[in-house]
Amino acid sequence: MRHALVFAGLALGVVITIGTACGSAMDGYDPSVPTNIVYVDGADQRGRVGTALHYPLLARITNQFGAGVAGVRVDWYLVAGRGILADSTSVSDADGMVCNTLRLGPRAETIRVQAVTALSGSPLYFNATAVLAPDRGDDPNPGVCSH
């Protein structure tokens, strides 16, 4: 019986030692370290040639737990089709949001934009379709990014 108690006591000591050696997921955690760029809104829009899309292209920079991270640079590139991006670079705001506005080019075509940063999820792609005839719902005052 005495051996059983000693063995049980040793086993408990091992469990306590292992438990404290592992620490927690929050040890050394810095919430300001960005890990991901994630899609928010603005992809797959249609608009009339030569006009700005109704909604801005939106993405969010997050840390490992999904909270927004400020101050991260994102580069924007037009990789297919013709159009004009309002900004070539943007920096995430206090909520981790980055955005850009796309003015469609002079042809009916598919346009592809990418948002690039050195994080998981990059590059992030946004597609848009420029059409010749106005769609019902064309807005003469398209949405723009608030910088």
Side-chain angles (χ1 to χ4, degrees):
M1 182 74 157
R2 180 177 166 166
H3 291 338
L5 288 175
V6 170
F7 180 73
L10 288 173
L12 181 60
V14 169
V15 169
I16 291 172
T17 303
I18 291 172
T20 56
C22 291
S24 79
M26 298 299 281
D27 286 352
Y29 169 66
D30 181 353
S32 69
V33 174
T35 56
N36 302 296
I37 183 170
V38 294
Y39 171 79
V40 176
D41 198 12
D44 301 320
Q45 296 182 66
R46 293 172 51 94
R48 193 168 18 115
V49 296
T51 65
L53 290 177
H54 181 72
Y55 299 104
L57 311 178
L58 295 172
R60 187 167 190 229
I61 305 299
T62 62
N63 63 21
Q64 67 183 8
F65 294 107
V69 178
V72 178
R73 176 187 164 141
V74 175
D75 295 315
W76 297 86
Y77 300 97
L78 193 64
V79 295
R82 292 184 185 180
I84 300 169
L85 289 165
D87 299 300
S88 61
T89 300
S90 57
V91 177
S92 59
D93 67 12
D95 295 321
M97 300 298 291
V98 292
C99 68
N100 210 335
T101 302
L102 174 63
R103 178 167 295 279
L104 303 171
R107 292 187 194 174
E109 64 184 344
T110 298
I111 299 165
R112 191 167 205 192
V113 173
Q114 66 180 6
V116 179
T117 189
L119 301 173
S120 178
S122 178
L124 186 62
Y125 290 97
F126 296 84
N127 293 319
T129 303
V131 295
L132 293 175
D135 284 346
R136 283 185 281 165
D138 269 1
D139 189 342
N141 298 309
V144 296
C145 294
S146 56
H147 296 293

